[in-house]
Amino acid sequence: MSSLRKRNSTKVARDKPKAKKDEEVRSPLQKNSEYVQQFQHFVPLPLLVTIMICSGFLWVMCFRDVFATGRPIFGEIDVLFQEYIKSGQFFEILSSSDDESGVYLKSYAGGLSAIKSVTTDTNNMGGLFVRKICGAAGLTVHSQKLISVLFQSNDAHWHMGHFNPMLILASLSNMAIVLFLLINMEDLQANGLLIGATICCLILIIEASVMLIYCTPSKSLPTKPRSGNSKHEKTPNSVVSRILTRTITIVSGLMILICGRDLLFPGIVLDIIPYDDIYLEWTGSFIHSPPLGSEESISHSIESSFFLGDKFISQLGALYLVIGCIYKFATAYYIRMGKDMTGEMKCKIIWRVQTLGDALLLLLIRLFASAALTASFDLRWHLMCLAYEMFIMGLYSFM
């Protein structure tokens, strides 16, 4: 027994230097792999800087449209743009002689305080609604890029391709906005906005090019084999969430129907949508885009050419909303679980920002509900549908 113990102790003592040597050899390799994995977790710095500069500039413009409608902030070009879209009427500072309440200085400054509870021919609440919704939708589109890369979550890894779907969709969105600006370039040039539109196009093209360059093939990690016996087991071709797929199909599908009409066929009444004619009248679509052969065409056909800026901002807002809906539809139908089961993380990168965007839209629509009701346009169904989508999407993205 004593000889067996001595033999074992001798063997352990002999193995100790070898184990120590192996640990010294493996340790630098392990440390190096951990460093490489941690380094590849973050978004590349050139891409981050490009998105911050390009999307940051456009984000500020959209933020202005929401919280300071009509205020020029980028010099003479911006002054001409505000005159073109007629947003200057919503940015005013009243003195004591102009204000009925007798307050010495009262500034509406195009902010949320400019929203009135009653719609009149003078205050044009429908026009203000269009401009603020356009700004909020634009904020969502550009925040999708900014928030995703600036506030990267711990479970979103760059080297695993989690950001690829968002970058591809963002690049296509940029090119869609560029195409829209090119289509309207003649009207913009006639109003002295050629330089400003060209700068915006260059910014969007440069950003889209950089994002596409950095769309690298994903490096998947090994996953545990799945039994596949359960009925509810996820497969590589499974959608990420069936509940969200149904919700997005219903709510965002209706949004695409309405916004697609405002973008491609402004002023055309859709009979399947209740009170659609009232909505078009309240937002001024019958003035800048009167349907051919209608009563509005007879009364507004001559003056419609003076409201090209209203048509531009209405179509731009519709385009932003359609882009936001395309992001959601991509998570419902395009992004799958994948062999490495990372589809849920790819969707969460989009869901989190779109949830915040829906919350901002919900706030603005709620603030305009009273003014719309005085124009016989009820926004309660819009609020309920948008709130339901925001709630379900928020559960899946933040829980």
Side-chain angles (χ1 to χ4, degrees):
M1 198 71 178
S2 60
S3 61
L4 182 62
R5 285 178 183 173
K6 284 180 182 179
R7 212 178 300 149
N8 290 339
S9 61
T10 308
K11 187 179 179 181
V12 169
R14 201 184 305 140
D15 291 344
K16 271 185 182 180
K18 185 180 179 182
K20 190 175 181 182
K21 187 178 180 181
D22 291 343
E23 187 178 353
E24 289 176 357
V25 172
R26 279 194 222 104
S27 182
L29 294 175
Q30 289 175 353
K31 287 180 180 178
N32 185 41
S33 63
E34 289 174 4
Y35 170 76
V36 170
Q37 189 174 359
Q38 185 179 4
F39 175 75
Q40 292 179 342
H41 162 76
F42 294 105
V43 176
L45 187 59
L47 175 64
L48 179 65
V49 173
T50 303
I51 292 177
M52 281 183 61
I53 295 173
C54 298
S55 288
F57 171 75
L58 300 170
W59 189 92
V60 171
M61 293 182 65
C62 294
F63 185 87
R64 180 273 312 277
D65 291 338
V66 178
F67 297 103
T69 309
R71 178 171 185 172
I73 56 177
F74 290 115
E76 186 64 27
I77 296 177
D78 204 16
V79 172
L80 294 174
F81 179 66
Q82 297 306 311
E83 292 177 357
Y84 174 61
I85 62 174
K86 295 183 176 62
S87 291
Q89 58 181 312
F90 304 110
F91 182 80
E92 56 181 353
I93 299 177
L94 303 179
S95 63
S96 58
S97 59
D98 299 325
D99 191 12
E100 296 176 359
S101 62
V103 180
Y104 177 72
L105 188 65
K106 185 174 183 180
S107 172
Y108 295 105
L112 300 181
S113 59
I115 302 173
K116 307 297 181 185
S117 57
V118 179
T119 296
T120 63
D121 294 335
T122 306
N123 59 28
N124 190 18
M125 282 297 102
L128 182 61
F129 174 80
V130 169
R131 286 154 179 80
K132 288 197 177 294
I133 292 297
C134 176
L139 270 180
T140 306
V141 169
H142 300 303
S143 295
Q144 182 66 72
K145 297 169 279 187
L146 284 168
I147 293 178
S148 300
V149 299
L150 287 176
F151 303 97
Q152 182 179 351
S153 58
N154 294 330
D155 48 357
H157 306 290
W158 170 259
H159 69 284
M160 293 182 66
H162 290 164
F163 292 87
N164 283 354
M166 186 275 295
L167 293 176
I168 293 172
L169 290 169
S171 302
L172 295 176
S173 302
N174 282 13
M175 300 314 296
I177 299 171
V178 170
L179 179 62
F180 174 77
L181 292 175
L182 292 176
I183 291 173
N184 292 273
M185 190 62 75
E186 186 178 348
D187 294 331
L188 294 171
Q189 183 178 0
N191 289 271
L193 297 170
L194 178 62
I195 297 176
T198 305
I199 292 173
C200 290
C201 289
L202 288 175
I203 288 174
L204 290 167
I205 292 172
I206 291 171
E207 185 185 41
S209 303
V210 173
M211 287 190 293
L212 287 176
I213 290 171
Y214 276 94
C215 282
T216 55
S218 59
K219 299 177 183 178
S220 58
L221 295 178
T223 54
K224 294 180 181 178
R226 293 179 175 268
S227 60
N229 297 327
S230 176
K231 234 188 250 185
H232 305 286
E233 193 74 31
K234 295 274 189 185
T235 64
N237 290 326
S238 299
V239 296
V240 177
S241 171
R242 293 181 181 178
I243 295 176
L244 255 179
T245 298
R246 288 192 290 266
T247 303
I248 290 171
T249 302
I250 296 171
V251 180
S252 293
L254 289 173
M255 290 177 65
I256 283 185
L257 177 64
I258 298 172
C259 297
R261 184 274 314 276
D262 292 340
L263 175 62
L264 302 175
F265 309 102
I268 302 298
V269 180
L270 298 178
D271 296 329
I272 60 174
I273 301 175
Y275 307 107
D276 192 44
D277 55 339
I278 298 176
Y279 161 75
L280 293 175
E281 184 179 2
W282 184 55
T283 55
S285 295
F286 284 154
I287 298 176
H288 60 70
S289 303
L292 294 176
S294 62
E295 296 180 1
E296 290 79 12
S297 177
I298 298 173
S299 56
H300 300 298
S301 59
I302 298 176
E303 62 179 334
S304 61
S305 58
F306 296 100
F307 292 89
L308 292 177
D310 296 72
K311 182 180 179 181
F312 174 84
I313 199 68
S314 175
Q315 288 181 311
L316 180 61
L319 176 60
Y320 277 139
L321 288 171
V322 167
I323 289 172
C325 292
I326 290 174
Y327 273 110
K328 300 172 199 173
F329 267 96
T331 63
Y333 294 101
Y334 170 66
I335 302 175
R336 302 289 172 148
M337 289 300 297
K339 293 180 181 179
D340 52 359
M341 295 297 159
T342 59
E344 185 176 359
M345 191 60 244
K346 295 174 182 177
C347 290
K348 281 186 176 182
I349 292 174
I350 296 175
W351 287 342
R352 287 166 182 166
V353 181
Q354 294 301 319
T355 301
L356 299 177
D358 281 359
L360 181 58
L361 286 173
L362 190 67
L363 171 65
L364 291 175
I365 293 175
R366 179 63 187 89
L367 292 175
F368 278 99
S370 178
L373 194 59
T374 59
S376 303
F377 182 55
D378 196 351
L379 287 171
R380 285 179 296 178
W381 283 102
H382 306 72
L383 288 168
M384 286 188 288
C385 291
L386 195 59
Y388 176 71
E389 184 187 58
M390 182 196 71
F391 176 72
I392 298 297
M393 200 156 47
L395 283 180
Y396 278 88
S397 56
F398 292 104
M399 294 297 180

